[in-house]
Amino acid sequence: MAQGLEVALTDLQSSRNNVRHHTEEIAVDRLLVRRGQAFLITLYFRNRGFQPGLDNIIFVAETEDAVYLDSEPQRQEYVVNDYGFIYQGNKNWIRPCPWNYGQFEENIVDICLELLDKSLNFQVDPATDCALRGSPVYIGRVVCAMINSNDDNGVLNGNWSENYTDGLNPAEWTGSVAILKQWHATGCQPVRYGQCWVFAAVMCTVMRCLGIPTRVITNFDSGHDTDGNLVIDEYYDSTGRILENKKKDSIWNFHVWNECWMARRDLPPGYGGWQLLDATPQETSNGLYCCGPASVKAIKEGEVDLKYDTPFAFSMVNADCVSWLVYGGKEQKLHRNTSAVGSFISTKGVQSDERDDVTENYKYQEGSPEERQVFLKAVQKLKAGKSQGPPGADAPPSSSTPLSGDSPQSLDIPSLRPGEVAQVSLKFKLLEPPHMGQDINFMLLAINVSPQSKDLKVNLSAQSLLHDGSPMPPFWQDTAFLTLFPQEVKTYSCIIPYFQYSQYLSTDKLIRISALSEEKNSLEKILVNKIITLAYPGIMINVLGAAIVNQPLSIQVIFSNPLLEQVANCVLTVEGSGLFKKQQRVLIGVLKPQHRASITLTTVPFKSGQRQIQANLKSDKFKDIKGYRSVYVDFGL
């Protein structure tokens, strides 16, 4: 009988395999392969050579590619691309925020695996946790809970207080690598601070690193429905000022989450593909702060009984909004808006720097019969779910508010268009683009389309908002008395000086202007509002010369103080995967009013291909003047 083979050495051919599996940017000295693709290994035997026909070698590798994405361009974008854009601003002014995902940077793969080992699931039952790691649904929920720190030593602490003295203002971050490396270096202590776009960006890094196709999604006018009835209630006083919501319902100016591509064998056929996952800690799911994966197809079709957390996801993109006037201890319904929530749902285009609008993936066209039918189906499913007992993660949260009858959320309220009551319409119009440091000029347009004259008293106000919809105290008020003859159009000009709004602004630079009009001898009231995002001039980045691997490269960064006052404590940060080994911090100090300056940095690119440079300038008066530049790095000789 022939002597058995003894393996002396196994050559995993890491360098060769990693190139074929697009993991060479992570490492070349250890094997990192992707599911569903062949790889080569070489075995060397100690006692004799391999004899075909006599010797048999059985090699067992179990893989199941539940995250396979058919399109090679999409695989390149959603798995391999290490930079992108996160869309912010408001629906009328959408701006791209550059971000360094950096999933292939040094030690990131080990940090991502450490993140899995720090999860509560692994701590409680390591064997079961590891056995389930082949499921992208399971991994998605674990990572989602670990990105925030509400239940564990997750990666990020959330903070919406505007007080960031013991950490970093979320607006200052430009990439995930610094966050993940800080979390690891401090013994897995949560990094301070994050808000929705930071949570989503870091989750994108982790999921792409683990080989799961992932993209970052921004939803403008995003609903946060706390009681699960698919209605957002907003309350205003007689000046038109939005009030702190006693129910904590809100419409976020924008909200950011992730989509991950995966099969959903736990759901009926047809609900695989893109799945919503939201790491921002808003509501609990099975006792933990995570959300999803919720099938995007299920959200569009109103199948809110399908797991996970689909009712909450549905409300973010397609809840109705009811506005209430609060006065004298009473509440008067102003109107119900069926299209106020969920618009311009955005993500970066595939292998493009352009914005891709994916709203139609989430909802039928607003105002269409299909959209209303889906909404009513979702409401009925939620009512049925509540009647069957206490809900869990796969059903809507409990609510003491009925969905029918005389409650504010009654579905038999007639649908009225905002600003159009009693044949008079109001509309705000900006007279020039709103730039930080300049006065805000706008006018109120009043149109009387009726055959009778109208005498109006209009209360106007302005207040800052956080991007999650939380109102701050009003800093400007005015009252206008308008007489409109039949078919007449009138304008009322307004100006808010810089010195009046500057000290009240939040980091989000959002101002809501509101007008509440009442007609003489009538109970009818008209409410109209507009959200303004103040713009900064961006940072300009110039690449001086050809970018070649292992060759010095000079980069010029041009920035300015846009304000009419001096700013201090200025710090410029610059980073870019494959271009800089770590984030660069340059202390600028003081910038005089409207002063323009530039610096030149020298770096040595160490990775070829398409790259992106991200820059941020902060001071004691602003935190997030940003800029970016795409650059192609040649491999050279």
Side-chain angles (χ1 to χ4, degrees):
M1 178 179 293
Q3 184 181 6
L5 290 169
E6 295 180 17
V7 177
L9 178 67
T10 302
D11 179 4
L12 298 178
Q13 300 193 37
S14 299
S15 179
R16 182 180 179 186
N17 284 320
N18 289 7
V19 169
R20 291 182 173 182
H21 285 250
H22 307 286
T23 60
E24 74 277 11
E25 289 194 12
I26 301 177
V28 293
D29 56 353
R30 59 174 172 167
L31 184 64
L32 291 165
V33 294
R34 300 188 185 276
R35 294 168 298 274
Q37 184 175 337
F39 61 96
L40 302 174
I41 64 172
T42 303
L43 302 179
Y44 295 90
F45 302 106
R46 179 177 291 112
N47 54 332
R48 63 179 178 83
F50 178 78
Q51 299 178 23
L54 177 64
D55 295 322
N56 288 310
I57 298 175
I58 299 175
F59 181 72
V60 179
E62 294 186 27
T63 65
E64 179 185 15
D65 198 356
V67 297
Y68 178 70
L69 191 55
D70 214 17
S71 164
E72 174 61 21
Q74 289 188 346
R75 289 197 296 268
Q76 288 294 322
E77 180 66 49
Y78 301 133
V79 178
V80 178
N81 199 0
D82 59 5
Y83 69 87
F85 299 104
I86 302 168
Y87 293 95
Q88 300 179 353
N90 67 64
K91 66 183 178 184
N92 298 313
W93 187 73
I94 298 174
R95 70 179 183 98
C97 173
W99 196 270
N100 177 25
Y101 296 121
Q103 68 267 31
F104 301 131
E105 291 297 285
E106 187 177 11
N107 297 328
I108 292 299
V109 67
D110 294 308
I111 295 172
C112 293
L113 295 174
E114 181 182 28
L115 181 146
L116 298 180
D117 290 346
K118 292 295 182 182
S119 73
L120 293 178
N121 300 49
F122 183 85
Q123 301 298 320
V124 171
D125 188 349
T128 300
D129 176 78
C130 289
L132 291 172
R133 287 186 182 181
S135 164
V137 174
Y138 177 80
I139 286 292
R141 286 184 65 77
V142 168
V143 172
C144 194
M146 279 300 297
I147 296 299
N148 68 69
S149 61
N150 286 45
D151 309 296
D152 42 47
N153 280 344
V155 176
L156 281 160
N157 268 343
N159 186 342
W160 288 264
S161 71
E162 290 291 292
N163 179 8
Y164 310 111
T165 53
D166 58 346
L168 204 64
N169 187 313
E172 296 179 35
W173 297 112
T174 53
S176 307
V177 176
I179 295 170
L180 289 166
K181 288 190 172 182
Q182 180 179 327
W183 178 75
H184 167 74
T186 58
C188 304
Q189 292 301 305
V191 176
R192 300 172 178 170
Y193 288 103
Q195 290 183 7
C196 65
W197 68 92
V198 187
F199 290 114
V202 175
M203 183 160 181
C204 182
T205 296
V206 174
M207 298 299 272
R208 285 187 183 181
C209 184
L210 296 176
I212 299 175
T214 303
R215 60 189 187 182
V216 176
I217 302 290
T218 300
N219 178 37
F220 291 94
D221 295 336
S222 187
H224 183 179
D225 174 24
T226 58
D227 56 7
N229 63 355
L230 305 186
V231 174
I232 308 295
D233 292 294
E234 290 189 327
Y235 297 89
Y236 295 82
D237 68 10
S238 58
T239 69
R241 173 174 68 110
I242 191 169
L243 303 174
E244 187 72 40
N245 195 318
K246 59 186 179 182
K247 283 176 40 188
K248 302 302 181 184
D249 280 0
S250 59
I251 296 180
W252 294 37
N253 203 52
F254 67 88
H255 182 50
V256 185
W257 59 71
N258 298 101
E259 284 180 3
C260 296
W261 182 274
M262 64 185 71
R264 289 300 301 270
R265 297 184 178 90
D266 58 326
L267 299 182
Y271 292 101
W274 290 116
Q275 310 290 313
L276 180 152
L277 284 146
D278 188 353
T280 300
Q282 298 182 84
E283 305 292 331
T284 59
S285 172
N286 278 346
L288 295 178
Y289 278 95
C290 68
C291 178
S295 165
V296 173
K297 177 70 177 301
I299 295 168
K300 180 173 184 176
E301 299 300 336
E303 301 294 347
V304 293
D305 52 340
L306 298 182
K307 57 187 181 183
Y308 292 86
D309 310 303
T310 310
F312 187 77
F314 183 93
S315 71
M316 290 196 293
V317 300
N318 210 12
D320 282 0
C321 180
V322 176
S323 298
W324 299 87
L325 175 64
V326 179
Y327 65 102
K330 298 180 180 179
E331 298 174 2
Q332 176 186 347
K333 181 175 81 269
L334 294 173
H335 58 74
R336 183 188 190 104
N337 192 335
T338 63
S339 60
V341 172
S343 60
F344 296 97
I345 304 176
S346 304
T347 192
K348 177 185 176 297
V350 175
Q351 298 184 326
S352 162
D353 286 352
E354 298 302 311
R355 183 181 70 90
D356 188 11
D357 192 300
V358 296
T359 307
E360 66 177 11
N361 293 353
Y362 281 88
K363 59 201 296 189
Y364 289 96
Q365 186 174 354
E366 289 289 359
S368 68
E370 294 89 348
E371 185 273 333
R372 279 294 89 186
Q373 290 167 6
V374 166
F375 180 85
L376 293 174
K377 177 170 74 171
V379 169
Q380 293 305 317
K381 282 180 176 285
L382 293 185
K383 290 174 66 176
K386 289 176 183 178
S387 67
Q388 293 172 5
D394 307 334
S398 59
S399 169
S400 59
T401 307
L403 282 168
S404 59
D406 298 326
S407 71
Q409 293 76 31
S410 172
L411 289 176
D412 58 3
I413 299 172
S415 179
L416 298 174
R417 295 179 62 187
E420 294 189 6
V421 182
Q423 295 182 304
V424 173
S425 71
L426 299 178
K427 183 179 180 180
F428 283 117
K429 182 179 180 180
L430 287 169
L431 298 180
E432 55 191 23
H435 291 291
M436 176 63 73
Q438 299 179 8
D439 298 345
I440 302 173
N441 290 285
F442 62 97
M443 67 180 182
L444 179 69
L445 190 68
I447 306 171
N448 179 14
V449 297
S450 75
Q452 292 87 31
S453 295
K454 302 287 184 181
D455 290 315
L456 303 179
K457 177 186 176 183
V458 185
N459 292 319
L460 300 105
S461 66
Q463 61 191 129
S464 289
L465 293 179
L466 303 185
H467 91 274
D468 67 356
S470 301
M472 300 174 75
F475 55 79
W476 174 87
Q477 291 182 327
D478 192 9
T479 302
F481 295 91
L482 302 176
T483 297
L484 296 173
F485 295 111
Q487 311 299 318
E488 186 181 13
V489 177
K490 272 192 177 178
T491 61
Y492 183 79
S493 297
C494 304
I495 182 170
I496 305 177
Y498 168 68
F499 72 83
Q500 191 166 359
Y501 71 74
S502 60
Q503 57 186 315
Y504 295 99
L505 275 184
S506 70
T507 305
D508 302 300
K509 305 178 293 297
L510 297 173
I511 295 176
R512 180 199 288 264
I513 51 175
S514 299
L516 183 66
S517 169
E518 53 184 307
E519 183 187 347
K520 186 178 180 180
N521 302 322
S522 172
L523 296 176
E524 297 288 356
K525 294 179 173 61
I526 309 167
L527 173 69
V528 64
N529 55 60
K530 185 179 184 67
I531 294 178
I532 298 170
T533 302
L534 293 161
Y536 284 128
I539 294 174
M540 183 181 298
I541 302 173
N542 296 320
V543 178
L544 307 179
I548 302 172
V549 170
N550 295 329
Q551 298 292 320
L553 177 67
S554 294
I555 297 168
Q556 182 189 42
V557 183
I558 303 171
F559 51 92
S560 62
N561 171 15
L563 305 182
L564 295 172
E565 56 183 319
Q566 179 174 288
V567 295
N569 304 325
C570 296
V571 179
L572 178 72
T573 58
V574 181
E575 65 178 291
S577 286
L579 298 168
F580 300 93
K581 287 288 188 180
K582 63 178 183 179
Q583 187 183 73
Q584 308 294 301
R585 288 174 56 86
V586 182
L587 302 180
I588 305 297
V590 173
L591 283 174
K592 295 180 179 179
Q594 295 190 312
H595 180 69
R596 180 181 169 108
S598 72
I599 64 166
T600 300
L601 303 174
T602 300
T603 188
V604 178
F606 54 95
K607 293 181 180 179
S608 62
Q610 194 70 34
R611 302 290 162 191
Q612 187 189 74
I613 304 167
Q614 302 92 11
N616 184 76
L617 178 68
K618 73 169 184 176
S619 73
D620 60 343
K621 296 289 196 303
F622 50 75
K623 301 300 178 186
D624 61 338
I625 294 183
K626 297 189 184 294
Y628 69 92
R629 178 66 181 264
S630 296
V631 54
Y632 187 85
V633 180
D634 285 317
F635 191 77
L637 298 178

